[in-house]
Amino acid sequence: MGSESLMAVGRVPRFVSGLSRRRSGAAVDRDPRHLPHLVIVAKIVIELKRVIATLAVALVGAATLTSPSAAAGTAPYEPTHAGPRAVSSLAAPASATVTEGQVKEVVPGGVMTYPSVTSCLTVTVRVRGGGLVGAHASLFQVPGELRSDEILGALKQLVGGRPVAAIEVRGAVGAWHPSYFVKALESYGEGEQVPIPEDPDFNGIAQAVSRGLELPRGLVTVEDVPDGDQIIR
């Protein structure tokens, strides 16, 4: 590990020290002694995983700035594939598993599963009249799948012109900077500063999703949820 990576690791204690101030809601203000021990342990595990995800972003930034091949990242970005990894509405199933970098749809009354959501965000569009169209956005591109700056475009394409009732964003909010939906981590070149989230930016993420889908901000809700599988009905 290079000196820049070690410096990134050195920033973790400051981030960890601020975690208690970053969680919002009444539950955070309660005296921890009044909470069951298992709930306290669960909160600690969730926060540690969020720290790890953020540290990974910092390490990618350091590697980008020091890699001999980093200059290649300054070239204009060209998508790695012609179309989105999506299931057409004409062939939408009753259930679907949406893994990292994928966009899929289920019919009205269907069930959508996002497996192993740890450092990711999921974006689920509820179409009026039923049906779900969902995207699994990952911090780092899975080979052969969509990057974080491609995912909203693919989701918008699959939704098409259908009326939308709601847009639900769930996952590791604290690990995401809103700009990741516009410029993926892999696209930063030599000398470019990689943005690293310092606080969970619920409104910033909601605005980024709204702009990317070209749908009203009022339709978008953002929720920071514990890691694991997400099952949306």
Side-chain angles (χ1 to χ4, degrees), residues 10-218:
R11 300 190 187 101
V12 172
R14 181 174 66 84
F15 179 85
V16 174
S17 66
L19 286 175
S20 60
R21 300 190 298 271
R22 294 173 186 169
R23 301 302 299 272
S24 60
V28 180
D29 298 330
R30 297 173 188 165
D31 187 343
R33 292 172 297 182
H34 298 164
L35 298 175
H37 293 299
L38 290 179
V39 175
I40 295 175
V41 172
K43 286 179 178 292
I44 292 173
V45 171
I46 292 168
E47 295 295 1
L48 285 176
K49 289 194 175 183
R50 188 173 288 110
V51 170
I52 291 172
T54 304
L55 175 59
V57 175
L59 292 176
V60 166
T64 300
L65 297 177
T66 57
S67 171
S69 59
T74 60
Y77 170 65
E78 295 293 339
T80 54
H81 42 266
R85 293 287 191 272
V87 173
S88 160
S89 59
L90 297 177
S95 63
T97 298
V98 189
T99 59
E100 295 181 32
Q102 293 186 340
V103 177
K104 294 183 181 180
E105 179 178 358
V106 295
V107 296
V111 179
M112 185 165 286
T113 301
Y114 301 99
S116 304
V117 181
T118 53
S119 62
C120 304
L121 286 180
T122 66
V123 183
T124 305
V125 176
R126 293 188 179 273
V127 180
R128 287 183 185 174
L132 304 173
V133 187
H136 192 152
S138 58
L139 280 174
F140 307 102
Q141 184 184 21
V142 173
E145 303 294 354
L146 295 166
R147 291 186 354 176
S148 63
D149 53 6
E150 297 176 304
I151 202 80
L152 293 180
L155 183 59
K156 175 187 172 184
Q157 178 180 333
L158 190 54
V159 172
R162 290 177 288 176
V164 171
I167 304 166
E168 300 169 0
V169 182
R170 300 179 179 178
V173 175
W176 277 74
H177 192 281
S179 66
Y180 297 163
F181 284 116
V182 180
K183 186 172 184 176
L185 290 170
E186 292 88 355
S187 68
Y188 283 86
E190 184 176 7
E192 291 187 284
Q193 181 66 41
V194 179
I196 299 174
E198 295 184 357
D199 296 284
D201 189 354
F202 293 88
N203 185 56
I205 288 174
Q207 289 180 338
V209 171
S210 171
R211 287 193 296 267
L213 298 180
E214 296 186 353
L215 291 169
R217 163 67 179 85

